[in-house]
Amino acid sequence: MPNEAIVSATNVTRVFGEGDASVKALDDVSLEFPEGRFTAIMGPSGSGKSTLMHLLAGLDRPTVGGVEIDGVALNDLDDGKLTEVRRDKVGFIFQFFNLLPVLTAEENIVLPLSLAGRKPHRKRFDELVEAVGLSDRVSHRPAELSGGQQQRVAVARALLSEPAVVFADEPTGNLDSKSSEEILALLRTAVDDYGQSVVMVTHDANAAATADRVVVLVDGRIVRDEPATSPEQVLDLMKQPA
Amino acid sequence: MTSIALRNLWARKLRTVLTALAIVLGVMMIAGTYVFTDTIDQAFDEIFTESNKGIDAVVTSKQAVKTDDAQDPPISASLLPEVRSTEGVAAAAGGIFDPQVAIIDKDGDPIGGNGAPSFGSSAQPRRFETLDYEGRAPRTANEVAIDKTAADKAGFELGDRVTVAGKESARPYRLVGFASIGDVDSFGGASIAVFTLPQAQLITGKQGEFDQIAVAADDDTTPGQLAANLTQVLPKNVEAETGEENTQSQKDDVGEFIGFLKTALLVFAGVALFVASFLIFNTFSITVAQRTREFAMLRTLGANRRQIVRSVALEALLIGFAASVIGLLLGIAFASAISSLFKATGIDLPSAGNVIGVRTVILSLAVGTVLTVVAALVPALRATRVEPVEGLREGIVVEAPGTKRLRTAIAVALTGLGLIAMLGGVFGVIGGSGAAWVGIGAGAMFLGVALLSPRLVRPLASLVGLPLERTRGVAGRLARENSVRNPGRTAATAAALMIGLALVSFVAIFAAGIRGSIDDAIDKTLGGDLILGSTDGFSDIPLTPVKAVEGVDGVAVASPYRYTQYASPDGDGYLSLVAPATAADVLKLDWRQGSDQTLTDLGPTEAVLDEKFADKRKLEVGDAFTVTTVSGRKINYTATGTFKDNTDFIGDYAASDVNARAYGEGQTTTSIFIKLDEGADTDAVRSGIDEQLKPFPTIKVQNQQELKDSISSQLNTLLGVIYALLALAVIVSLFGIVNTLALSIYERTRELGLLRAVGMSRRQTRQIVRYEAVITALIGAVLGLVLGVVFAITISRPLADEGFTLTIPVGSLLLLMVLAAAAGVVAAIGPARRASRLDVLEALSYE
Ligand SMILES: Nc1ncnc2c1ncn2[C@@H]1O[C@H](COP(=O)(O)OP(=O)(O)OP(=O)(O)O)[C@@H](O)[C@H]1O
Ligand SMILES: [Mg+2]
């Protein structure tokens, strides 16, 4: 059932602060992410993209509404269980500061597995490191890697445990265009070749065009939700909100 | 800039509080020490001043040997008429004041004990009476007055029958009064029993003798004149002092003891402050590093270097002063705690309300404040080196390799010089006080090793961290990595703990050595089966029971044995007085020249010598040497044999006890050694002896093992006090761990957020922090134990040929390691909680 929803948000609202100072970052959003698809979330700054991603990933809890990952309703979970969901079912790629400086690239990649007390699948690890082009770099520490290489380490980490879903918050935001392309290609391959589900927040139309689907947020609401075809089409979507 | 300093303090409350706490504890200890010793000082002052009230001159014997117990031998009562007829004397009265008279409680045990003297004294004629009585003074031979504290302890009321034990069999008296002196609410643990003069002489075995004669001058004579007149007419072995002089010399005697106590306590306070200064230094180093950006920003905005140093120094000044004030206030309360600590171990000291001197206040505030500012100065100066552009970079302080090499050189030099100073002090080759040099040496070594320790952090962290990593997986791994991330920081934190642990392990090793050598001495030298000694473990016991005990069925020999002191122009020393006829049965000597028969044949002026003494004095068998005894008598001994005193049990020589009186031990003895008949039933003999000792409640019977155990338990009591005082330094260093962890966590907020996001549980977060604390603590423990062993080896060197065998108590040291690790766990509780409670999202977006 390739089109079964692996992540879903139902009537999610997130309010920050209280009273007059309160901000409604998300306003009654419902979304489903089918398995094995690559979704891009776009929208102007402050529109609630990161907030949505944090809710979907179990890093934050909605004020109203519910989130489900791989059949598990996050609302019912305590901190310990939620942590396990993040560890076992979710992969993360942040814009920067993805890696622990004291660990080598290899240790960073296997970190979620180590935290679970598990050993990585050796073949999968080698394949992945090969794919992200870091075979000769695994014993280096983050400080000894370039920004693009660091980001590729983060991608490898997110993919290694074959999580139900990978969330990426502006993973290319800090990179030059060549490095960006490499990262996007890696994510695309993961979706195409391994059936990985990926949700990516981005400001970049080119990046969004790599995805299968584009969701556009404005002021905490979904204004567009369409298949992605080309950078031009994505830019159009952004320019003329429905 | 002032307001920035203030706001910094407020913004980082936890750090401020922890830094301040370290100083608070150190200052508290200093203030407490002064208040405590001043209070004792004043109480003794009052006791002595009161006790010489109305007395213009005091006649006592001259002390020919400066003995450990500072007890003058008695003077003959026949001097009294002479004194009375001396010019300028209006009145004179002889009195007894003897420190070895025990009041027996209702269970038959002596009250007090454990070091504090229990006095037996004579009631004085009204004009010389210095005690106040609730009830009245004793008037007949079977009446007694005792001090209120002793009475309360035992639950005695006026009219009760109270048993008192002196040199003769204990006897009952009727309690007719509670004696007190001045406003002193306690004599310390000391108790006093007052009798009529003849009864006091009888019970102390001083018939026909006085301890002193109190003299009042007539109207035309000054005390000084009176003392001079008396000195002129009295024999050479007697001295006359004015009342004031006598008060002063008594004060001086206890002053020496209080001074020693004060120094000892101040040393412990100094250690705590030394440790605290590490903490202050470290805290300021970390916060200055963390604030590099802030300083750079301020510099860009036009703040000059001096303003930045001033801002950091001001912060230190504020913390230091506030903490010192709190420390001072707590110190006043702490004085009572020290007093209770001593009381709990049986060392009761007199008190008369807390004495808070101006000196105490000024010193406490100054030490705490200055120390804080000085310790913060290096980091503050480092802050000035921040260039405005550094605000754009991450605030990592990189040390130039040059300074690193210099630092190592200084560290090694300090450690080496420290060891040399210590050795010099131990062997007395450097001038001045040996103890001071040892202290300076230890301080230098601590600093040296602390400076060196950043280099040791990585290997040590691997050593102690690898097991954690093996068994605890990624949490252990991260903890180890975190601990070596900033070796200087971990090193300073661990070094603080190192100091406390080095001292604790040194004391433990040294104590084990002492215990071992005492056991050894008893095993090797003592041939007797049973030992009679004082219940308090060190007072003398009456000689009277020897005969009775000898008569018990199964007792082969009861041999009195005295350990006492002599003086000589070539140096003072200790000796043993033995009963020649029986000594060979109860003492095993390792003869070089002579045999047990030599001991048996020992004449009144013959002695057998420890070969070390013989070598030192270049004496051969047949040579003569002269000593002066406590009573001032000179005895010319002829050496008849030599032995090797492996364990320094005998002292310089052993001589016959026929001269015991000359040594001031006429009716007392240190111990009585008992040899049983072959095949005698020990239990039966013991109960026979116990029966005979009923009238002597201050004597207890022990076999060799019991003797060892009781000495060991006295040692343990002392150790307990030392450990309790060292604990403070250790606690300060634990604050250091808390502080460093808290600051490091604050620095790593984002990392923690990331870890939590990718699936680290709260439990694992706590583990990381906890293991880091454990690793730091263990690094401190390893360094501390190594230094402790080095100290013990160094300092015990000169004792090696006195039977001190250094044994490393591996079990105790391992236990210390475990305790250190446990302390790390405790120190990590707070920071670990904080780390695990971090909100993931907030942490992730933390700048
Ligand atoms: N912790 C918070 N407290 C208060 N308000 C918040 C918090 N986090 C987000 N907001 C507010 O919620 C709204 C949505 O923020 P969010 O970070 O989701 O935007 P975004 O779409 O990711 O923006 P950008 O493209 O700049 O990253 C904004 O108005 C923001 O100010
Ligand atoms: Mg965002």
Side-chain angles (χ1 to χ4, degrees), chain A residues 14-17 21-26 41-54 60 95 169-170 201-203 217 219-220, chain B residues 839 841-842 845:
Chain A
R14 179 67 169 99
V15 181
F16 290 108
S22 70
V23 178
K24 207 178 238 179
L26 283 180
I41 300 177
M42 299 197 70
S45 187
S47 57
K49 305 182 293 294
S50 296
T51 305
L52 176 62
M53 207 201 78
H54 293 152
D60 194 10
Q95 184 175 353
D169 193 350
E170 302 185 40
V201 171
T202 183
H203 279 286
L217 279 181
D219 290 338
Chain B
D839 182 272
L841 272 185
E842 268 176 38
S845 56

Side-chain angles (χ1 to χ4, degrees), chain B residues 65-326:
Chain B
V65 180
K66 196 165 163 28
T67 56
D68 294 341
D69 57 6
Q71 183 61 28
D72 295 336
I75 54 179
S76 166
S78 62
L79 289 172
L80 186 56
E82 246 180 281
V83 169
R84 286 206 171 118
S85 59
T86 304
E87 200 190 329
V89 172
I96 292 291
F97 199 69
D98 185 290
Q100 291 190 359
V101 171
I103 304 167
I104 309 303
D105 68 15
K106 290 172 176 169
D107 300 329
D109 298 320
I111 294 174
N114 235 337
S118 50
F119 293 101
S121 128
S122 54
Q124 294 283 72
R126 175 144 306 153
R127 80 176 291 167
F128 293 121
E129 185 58 274
T130 54
L131 296 171
D132 300 316
Y133 294 96
E134 185 188 328
R136 59 176 175 81
R139 281 183 210 138
T140 66
N142 56 11
E143 290 179 348
V144 72
I146 67 176
D147 66 288
K148 186 83 175 123
T149 318
D152 287 346
K153 249 188 233 168
F156 286 131
E157 312 265 356
L158 291 182
D160 282 358
R161 277 161 61 89
V162 175
T163 303
V164 184
K167 301 280 149 64
E168 299 296 325
S169 310
R171 1 169 337 190
Y173 296 87
R174 203 162 70 81
L175 182 60
V176 296
F178 297 128
S180 64
I181 190 161
D183 297 331
V184 181
D185 53 1
S186 140
F187 290 100
S191 60
I192 188 164
V194 189
F195 310 89
T196 59
L197 178 61
Q199 194 58 35
Q201 285 170 314
L202 185 75
I203 200 165
T204 56
K206 290 174 179 166
Q207 286 103 325
E209 293 177 323
F210 299 131
D211 282 314
Q212 53 167 288
I213 297 172
V215 189
D218 60 25
D219 294 342
D220 307 325
T221 314
T222 63
Q225 188 59 48
L226 182 67
N229 293 351
L230 287 166
T231 306
Q232 213 148 53
V233 299
L234 291 173
K236 285 275 167 293
N237 62 341
V238 170
E239 68 181 346
E241 292 175 308
T242 66
E244 266 171 41
E245 280 165 359
N246 184 259
T247 303
Q248 193 53 49
S249 64
Q250 282 176 313
K251 272 190 213 165
D252 291 347
D253 281 344
V254 291
E256 231 169 86
F257 162 72
I258 297 172
F260 173 77
L261 197 65
K262 191 188 289 178
T263 310
L265 287 172
L266 284 177
V267 165
F268 286 108
V271 169
L273 275 172
F274 188 53
V275 172
S277 61
F278 271 79
L279 199 167
I280 300 161
F281 174 80
N282 206 24
T283 307
F284 274 89
S285 299
I286 300 173
T287 51
V288 163
Q290 285 175 354
R291 281 154 61 193
T292 307
R293 267 161 184 265
E294 180 190 322
F295 290 136
M297 192 265 290
L298 288 171
R299 296 270 283 125
T300 346
L301 298 182
N304 67 26
R305 294 202 164 156
R306 203 177 314 136
Q307 282 173 309
I308 286 178
V309 186
R310 220 187 288 148
S311 149
V312 176
L314 184 70
E315 206 180 309
L317 187 78
L318 289 174
I319 296 184
F321 186 73
S324 301
V325 171
I326 299 171

Side-chain angles (χ1 to χ4, degrees), chain A residues 79 83 86 92 98 107 115, chain B residues 477 754 756-757 760 764:
Chain A
D79 183 83
T83 304
R86 288 201 300 269
F92 281 103
N98 258 303
E107 286 168 328
L115 286 170
Chain B
R477 165 111 183 91
L754 174 70
R756 294 278 287 127
M760 186 170 71
Q764 286 172 316

Side-chain angles (χ1 to χ4, degrees), chain A residues 54 59-60 79 83-84 86-87 92 94 96-104 107-108 111-112 114-117 141 157, chain B residues 458 469 474-475 477-478 481-482 485 750-762 764 836 839-841 844 847:
Chain A
H54 293 152
L59 286 170
D60 194 10
D79 183 83
T83 304
E84 277 173 30
R86 288 201 300 269
R87 190 183 72 196
F92 281 103
F94 298 104
F96 38 63
F97 205 79
N98 258 303
L99 309 177
L100 278 194
V102 291
L103 298 183
T104 62
E107 286 168 328
N108 266 294
L111 183 60
S114 310
L115 286 170
R141 301 217 177 188
R157 179 188 67 205
Chain B
R458 201 166 274 280
E469 201 170 324
V474 70
R477 165 111 183 91
L478 282 171
E481 284 298 340
N482 283 338
R485 225 164 153 163
R750 275 193 77 140
E751 267 173 66
L752 286 167
L754 174 70
L755 276 164
R756 294 278 287 127
V758 300
M760 186 170 71
S761 66
R762 288 199 164 143
Q764 286 172 316
S836 72
D839 182 272
V840 182
L841 272 185
L844 271 175
E847 281 288 347

